[in-house]
Amino acid sequence: MANDTRINFIYLSEQDMIRAGVTDMAACVDTMEEMFGLLYHGDYRMAGPNNDSHGAMIMFPEDSPFPNMPKPTADRRMMAMPAYLGGSFCTSGVKWYGSNIANKEKGLPRSILMFTLSDADTAAPLAYMSANLLSAYRTGAVPGVGARHLARKDSKVVGIFGPGVMARTSLAAFIAACPQIDTVKVKGRGKKSLEAFTDWVHDNYPQITVQVVDDIEAVVRDSDIVTYCASGEVGNPDDYPLVKREWVSPGTFLAMPAPCNFDAGMEVPDVRKVLDNTGLYEAWYEEVPKPAHHCIPLVGMKFMDMIEEGRFSADGLEDLGAIVAGDAPGRQNDDEIIMMSVGGMPVEDVAWATVVYRRAIEQGIGVKLNLWDTPALR
């Protein structure tokens, strides 16, 4: 009996993705939690020699003899992020990450993302999908997983620096994890972004009070959950948004997916320091010059620099996957201060893309495309 060599897949536009539930944050948080369990037990693969690489990025020179070659401008990224995820997912895929802050001058998002989901056995495509919302929601869901295990259950006040897309999805995830949240304090750089964020909160969470504050200190003080979501120039940690120990109340959970620095008071061992995936930071640390925090502005890279410089013990680092799996403790009392670094991983894209794809198939969403009936070359 001849094999069926036809390969069909579906294309999902952004509107198709919305119809298939990509903005279902509660489900996304659940999916990310399941993914972290698989991550901890090793049922996954990413790129790189330790299978934990963030991806492969094209690097552009400051000076090129080719006039059309892109310049290494702020937040310029062209990057492939591949992964395989096992468990109930058992799929693989790759996100193509294109980013340039100058896109905003053209009326475009800073990042333009696409994702290819593939059969893990044959590598045949299952779906080609718009990935801006996919990426935004899985990124926001990770702080939500952290909040589920590390924030106080009675958390009510969220402090946000940077009222962009990441702030919206992180807040949605915090609310899914801590339903008693009733206030968000936000600091932004411009009136337009603050108004857009406030309108979004009022439209989606009318029970939440929005307070616009004047500085980062006000974001942090008296907040139960804190997140910094503002993009910025990378290179000098002195210029990154700062967290000072004197601002942080007992019991605060800080989830940091964007540039951030912290003072010596936050370095002390009784401030718990959590990574979303220890292997990811180890892979990054092998790949970049030192101090690594100059190259990758996440607090997790400062943790790694502190270990290298002998200012912190590697035994003090905690892994979110171990906490989710129950092999390490979550929050142990109401006074603990916990800071979690959020790096983002392609396995997250694979997990959420698989869930959205399966919903799309069930509901007949998307455009069916044919790769071939019989391949011309075999």
Side-chain angles (χ1 to χ4, degrees), residues 50 52-57 77 79 81 257 275-290 292 295-301 304 341-346:
N50 73 346
D52 277 302
S53 177
H54 189 64
M57 185 160 63
R77 268 184 271 182
M79 186 174 191
M81 300 172 63
L275 302 176
D276 49 350
N277 175 19
T278 303
L280 172 69
Y281 295 83
E282 292 173 344
W284 264 333
Y285 207 74
E286 291 294 320
E287 295 168 358
V288 301
K290 314 300 182 291
C295 304
I296 299 173
L298 301 176
V299 292
M301 298 313 289
M304 301 297 286
S341 185
V342 180
M345 296 171 282

Side-chain angles (χ1 to χ4, degrees), residues 137-167:
Y137 274 78
R138 65 78 156 160
T139 300
V142 172
V145 175
R148 180 175 284 176
H149 293 268
L150 300 171
R152 293 202 324 268
K153 299 304 180 187
D154 62 350
S155 294
K156 294 183 178 180
V157 181
V158 176
I160 294 176
F161 173 59
V165 170
M166 201 182 304

